[in-house]
Amino acid sequence: MRVITTQVNQTIWDIALQHTGTIDSVFTILEANAFLRPDITLPEGIKILIPDTEINKQIKDYIEKNNIIPASGDMYTQIPLNEEDMIQIKQILNYEFSNGPGPMPAVRLSNLKGDVTIQINYDRVEESNNTIYLEHSIDGLHFVQIPETEIQLQPEENTHIYTLNILTNYLRVMLNNETSQGILKEIIYRV
């Protein structure tokens, strides 16, 4: 997959034509970028994942060779994405700390300019020697810890929120617990 950046007045239809040579790829692009909608002009500068399939190479090459940037959107009816338009994935885990440390299930996210909020809700933590941190991966197989995301779960709290700017495909929460008291209730991802 490639990452491209939208230009002024582009729609998903323009993106498909410019980067794959046909509008037939619109639904493949929508599938890879769940935050997109086919009925709006996209704001300039959004990062979009483009699958590695060129359906009509001749048209794609013509557009590229002639420096054509399809832009059929209406700059006067641009609809900005707001909180309701954002992807929200909720993992309800109810993971008992007595099950031991380890990774929580990873989620696949297609990022909008890399802005991600992760809310972790937990309960009944009695000691502060339990930590969590975030890992990310491009392929969903090889995960790497995101620097400066390790925190201690505090007994007097029940929520921690991360706000990150990262362009990645997969995220997961790692639990390092030294006690068996506590429940990791849910993780909410907002992109």
Side-chain angles (χ1 to χ4, degrees):
M1 263 198 222
R2 301 174 281 142
V3 177
I4 62 96
T5 304
T6 58
Q7 304 295 317
V8 175
N9 291 336
Q10 284 195 311
T11 66
I12 188 64
W13 306 95
D14 299 322
I15 298 295
L17 185 61
Q18 180 179 359
H19 296 282
T20 68
T22 178
I23 61 170
D24 293 340
S25 62
V26 163
F27 296 103
T28 305
I29 295 170
L30 285 170
E31 199 172 85
N33 300 275
F35 64 90
L36 292 177
R37 289 177 31 196
D39 61 335
I40 63 170
T41 299
L42 302 171
E44 180 182 6
I46 289 179
K47 304 286 187 207
I48 295 178
L49 295 171
I50 303 293
D52 289 329
T53 56
E54 288 184 15
I55 298 171
N56 192 329
K57 187 167 174 31
Q58 185 178 7
I59 291 177
K60 182 185 175 300
D61 290 346
Y62 178 84
I63 288 171
E64 199 170 282
K65 178 182 172 189
N66 292 291
N67 294 321
I68 297 170
I69 299 174
S72 64
D74 180 357
M75 66 182 183
Y76 301 108
T77 60
Q78 191 174 68
I79 302 171
L81 297 176
N82 57 35
E83 186 82 21
E84 292 83 40
D85 295 321
M86 294 180 162
I87 297 172
Q88 180 169 308
I89 298 172
K90 182 186 277 189
Q91 290 179 317
I92 299 175
L93 301 169
N94 292 319
Y95 184 84
E96 301 269 349
F97 284 16
S98 60
N99 292 324
M104 299 302 111
V107 295
R108 183 168 192 277
L109 300 172
S110 299
N111 273 293
L112 171 65
K113 290 191 177 180
D115 296 325
V116 181
T117 301
I118 301 116
Q119 178 179 331
I120 300 168
N121 298 326
Y122 55 93
D123 197 14
R124 298 193 294 228
V125 174
E126 294 181 3
E127 299 177 35
S128 60
N129 55 353
N130 301 297
T131 61
I132 55 172
Y133 61 89
L134 301 176
E135 292 185 333
H136 71 106
S137 170
I138 298 298
D139 61 9
L141 300 172
H142 305 93
F143 284 85
V144 177
Q145 182 174 347
I146 300 172
E148 301 177 18
T149 60
E150 186 167 357
I151 60 120
Q152 288 189 326
L153 299 178
Q154 300 300 320
E156 62 276 1
E157 298 174 7
N158 60 8
T159 297
H160 182 76
I161 297 176
Y162 291 98
T163 302
L164 305 171
N165 186 283
I166 186 169
L167 188 60
T168 189
N169 286 334
Y170 296 88
L171 282 173
R172 72 180 181 191
V173 173
M174 290 291 292
L175 171 66
N176 282 334
N177 62 311
E178 295 182 16
T179 63
S180 60
Q181 295 297 314
I183 296 174
L184 191 54
K185 293 173 67 175
E186 64 185 10
I187 304 168
I188 302 169
Y189 298 86
R190 294 182 185 92
V191 178

